[in-house]
Amino acid sequence: MLSAFQSFRKFSTAQSIMSNLKIAIIGQSQFGEEVYKLLRRDGHEIVGVFTIPDVKGRPDPLASAAESDGVNVFKFPKWRVKGQPIKDVVDQYASVGADLNVMPFCSQFIPMDVIDHPKHGSIIYHPSLLPRHRGASAINWTLMCGDEKGGFSIFWADDGLDTGPVLLQKECKVEPDDTVDSLYNRFLYPEGIKAMGEAVRLIAEGKAPRIPQTEEGATYDKIWKKKDLAEIKWDQTAQTIHNFIRGNDKIPGAWTVLDGQKVTLFGSSMFKGSSFPSGTEVEVPGGSKPAIVHKGGLLFFGSDGSALNVKTLQLEDGKMIPAHKYGQAEEAQEKLELTEEELKMADTIKAVWIGILSSTDISNETDFFKMGAGSMDVARLVEEVKEKCNIELKNEDVYMATTLEAFVQLTARKGRGLDEEEFTYDAIEMEANKRTIRFPHQLFINNVFVDAKDNVTFDTINPTDESVICKVSKASVEDTDLAVAAAKAAFEEGEWGKMNARDRGKLMFKLADLMEEHKEELATIESIDSGAVYTLAIKTHVGMSIDTFRYFAGWCDKIQGSTIPINHARPNRNLTYTRKEPVGVCAIVTPWNYPLMMLAWKMAACLAAGNTVVLKPAQVTPLTALKFAELVVRAGFPPGVINILPGSGSVAGQRMADHPDVRKLGFTGSTPIGKQIMKSCAESNLKKVSLELGGKSPLIIFADCDLSVAVRQSLGAVFFNKGENCIAAGRLFVEDTIHDKFVEKVIEEIKKMKIGDPLDRSTAHGPQNHRAHLEKLLEYCELGVKEGATLVYGGKQVDGPGLFMHPTVLTNVQDHMFVAQEESFGPIMVISKFSSSDINGMLKSANGTEFGLASGVFTNDISKAMYVSDKLEAGTVFVNTYNKTDVAAPFGGFKQSGFGKDLGQEALNEYLKTKTVTIEYPEF
């Protein structure tokens, strides 16, 4: 057996050696360096690297890597003169004996003598989907032409301009605000490197295709490097101008003339607001109207009246400034006196510059870009500062501080939290609760507040007086698709999908801290939008939301799989392990009774698991979700991770259930809607579902309980949050010997409850959430009396303005009655009596509904408590307490109250999938 195995190993090794190639790499740049390293790791022999001469004494990254490995490096200034190959150069190339030329981003003209010399020929990487955008500026043209998809081609070189047969292509979506840098860094660079390795493997295995290029749709685009080509023509649509600016960002940079000087524009995006911001006007030669300097940047107008916004400007002297500061007298920024820790950081930064610039001649006056740094060097600098100094910068920051001293100062300011850029949006401002509150009223997609595509809005109502708080954008199917696309891009291609779990946790902790910082404002918004009593909103609606985010933030880096012993496949051995992975884009639909808390219960677990989210809050209570979205941006969450779509369930909610890119939907609401959602999720793409639906929670009061405690807890069990509580005690079973006394004490306590303005600190009972619900509650009481229940208190609306309902008590309720079977979701106490001689009969009645969310029992007899807890068919059982939920305890129902859990470790499973990996390896 051993000799057979050794023979097998020899055969495998021989096959591997036979498939390896002798490769010449012709090109330059960090891309070329990474391709070189990948091919070496794959076992190929790099017999020569042909690159460009050193620039200002600084070798190309490809040359540096090869020289350090002892690989032959040739630095030719040119390969031919007057179109003819230079014999000495060609001879030196031929001497290495390559089987294949690999040309990643080769900028030189290579003679056909070299292209055709190896037995496998030559392959070239090109950053477009050939035959479109042939030429050296393909990425620029992809953006300037407004292409909706981009990508790259690896093709076999011939004697034409990017015309050879295609070996492989990969494509990606071009995002609306992509720049040359973002498209390159997000897709063309990392995926291109991998694809070059894949192409060489296909050649080595004899499987590489040669697909002839068609001339249909071919474009031959001129080189786009000269600054004079990049002047903006303003007699075009805003979208065309935006495409032109982003297609030139960062090189060569699109420019225009403002106030007599050339100004280069960076960071363009289409303006999506419903009204243009006010600010200082700036004349634009050739423009249809003046530009506007405003808090969010510099707004320019196209010939069609639409606008685009620019974030960063470069003045004629090379200085970069935020666009919103254009025209302002420059403030002399006070130079920071660095602390001892910051001085160490400065030394670290200098060492990073030395490594990137390949020069030890670095002083405070050294300019990063004048030393030859490019966009990939910017990305590397940002990442190294993050890793070594624990300070997060943006690429734009590097362009704002180009000398070492300025960069150190900027990094120190960032580390101290100074100069934070203000996040601006079209805010609603109003006075309430003796404070000024500010909140958004638009959809939140990809970290931007935007109007609905069809500009439809709805009124959100203050239930205290039925006044209109504001108009809110109403999401359409198109808006929902945009939000899902943003979430998908953030998950699959964005920073979130690549982020370390611990860094995810840091963002969630920061978000929780911001919620804490704004808790009074959040609670005030919750009160005016949902009718929640302010003191309850502070403690529960907002307080538990903060606790939930902190709890799940701590779980981010503790989600782990397991190793599993399985039977070995002798003579080999096996290792089997599991991975817990995020499911992808998740949709969440929340109810109106706890707008912020239900958001937190579901979203925190979803984010901790690594997913991205599209959330639709209840249409009648959207405002705290939108305020939360503002805090998401301030916390630093990447675009697309969290998206909030106020609107109707029948449109936005239904589209989320139907959308093929949504992989999980979490819903809290009514059972009929939950059934519809489950059906849609099954028919669309069999997406994962968790449902927290209706309840009719029984609360059992035994005669041996502490009656005063039972009365107090029962009042909370029914009237907490004015009865708009999913686990509210829907039916009380009171032992007959204490029934009358219990009812008497309940009525006595109800009369003490103050009903009124939820912002009044002494108020105990606020308004019902919306008029339709109040009317349904009044009908519920009428039906109960009609069926034979006794109305002993309440049952009517409070006189005066607002949606206030008297706390209500119905007694003598029998099993057959509607009020015994169905949830009121309001301040209605439904009481039945039972005999101690028929506990099992009472339990049959308690379990005799299709719901099983929560339940409770009050007794001082531990045996009785344990027996009843065992028999109750509910996801939660409270003993001698009620409403005692905690972020660490799983929460969810049985039967038609739904399935799946919120809160606790179990909630993470709703947003994770388990992958099993089995590896076979030889036994030595």
Side-chain angles (χ1 to χ4, degrees), residues 174-185:
V174 177
E175 298 299 332
D177 296 334
D178 262 332
T179 64
V180 174
D181 279 359
S182 67
L183 183 58
Y184 181 68
N185 294 333

Side-chain angles (χ1 to χ4, degrees), residues 219-256:
T219 58
Y220 293 82
D221 302 314
K222 63 183 176 182
I223 295 177
W224 201 261
K225 299 293 182 185
K226 295 181 180 178
K227 192 76 172 177
D228 58 351
L229 293 174
E231 181 178 5
I232 301 166
K233 309 300 182 188
W234 295 104
D235 58 344
Q236 306 176 93
T237 66
Q239 183 67 57
T240 303
I241 297 168
H242 164 61
N243 290 339
F244 186 80
I245 294 172
R246 68 196 184 111
N248 285 275
D249 186 346
K250 293 286 190 265
I251 297 173
W255 60 273
T256 190

Side-chain angles (χ1 to χ4, degrees), residues 475-490:
S476 65
V477 169
E478 185 180 1
D479 296 312
T480 309
D481 288 346
L482 288 172
V484 172
K488 184 180 181 183

Side-chain angles (χ1 to χ4, degrees), residues 76 198 355 628 675 919:
F76 299 142
E198 181 184 345
F628 169 85
K675 290 179 178 179
I919 300 171

Side-chain angles (χ1 to χ4, degrees), residues 534-731:
Y534 177 76
T535 51
L536 176 64
I538 279 281
K539 181 179 185 297
T540 302
H541 289 240
V542 179
M544 194 172 188
S545 300
I546 296 167
D547 290 345
T548 303
F549 268 93
R550 285 181 175 149
Y551 174 80
F552 283 107
W555 268 110
C556 286
D557 59 356
K558 300 170 187 68
I559 298 170
Q560 54 194 14
S562 57
T563 56
I564 302 169
I566 67 168
N567 289 341
H568 297 301
R570 295 181 178 178
N572 293 344
R573 299 180 67 82
N574 294 99
L575 168 67
T576 295
Y577 64 91
T578 59
R579 286 171 49 90
K580 297 287 188 179
E581 298 181 348
V583 297
V585 177
C586 297
I588 294 173
V589 180
T590 52
W592 43 258
N593 59 326
Y594 293 106
L596 186 63
M597 193 173 79
M598 290 296 99
L599 174 156
W601 279 25
K602 294 187 185 300
M603 189 184 289
C606 178
L607 294 174
N611 302 287
T612 55
V613 186
V614 180
L615 177 135
K616 193 202 82 65
Q619 184 169 335
V620 291
T621 54
L623 296 185
T624 42
L626 293 175
K627 183 65 181 181
F628 169 85
E630 175 196 331
L631 303 183
V632 164
V633 178
R634 297 191 189 283
F637 276 75
V641 175
I642 297 171
N643 305 273
I644 310 257
L645 300 178
S648 68
S650 61
V651 177
Q654 184 63 50
R655 179 55 181 156
M656 289 158 70
D658 292 336
H659 203 294
D661 289 334
V662 173
R663 294 298 171 186
K664 159 69 199 283
L665 193 147
F667 172 75
T668 294
S670 71
T671 297
I673 299 299
K675 290 179 178 179
Q676 176 59 43
I677 284 174
M678 191 171 177
K679 181 179 179 181
S680 297
C681 289
E683 291 177 344
S684 58
N685 61 346
L686 209 64
K687 58 176 60 70
K688 194 174 182 180
V689 186
S690 59
L691 304 171
E692 195 242 288
L693 307 175
K696 188 64 178 174
S697 302
L699 175 57
I700 302 162
I701 314 292
F702 283 102
D704 61 7
C705 71
D706 184 324
L707 188 59
S708 61
V709 171
V711 168
R712 185 173 68 253
Q713 291 282 346
S714 297
L715 288 164
V718 177
F719 301 124
F720 187 82
N721 201 46
K722 3 94 173 201
E724 295 169 353
N725 187 21
C726 52
I727 59 171
R731 186 179 180 189

Side-chain angles (χ1 to χ4, degrees), residues 129-159:
L129 298 173
L130 292 172
R132 189 162 173 78
H133 304 311
R134 292 169 175 167
S137 301
I139 312 176
N140 304 74
W141 283 102
T142 297
L143 297 173
M144 288 191 292
C145 291
D147 292 359
E148 293 185 357
K149 66 179 181 181
F152 57 80
S153 307
I154 297 173
F155 68 98
W156 299 92
D158 64 6
D159 58 357

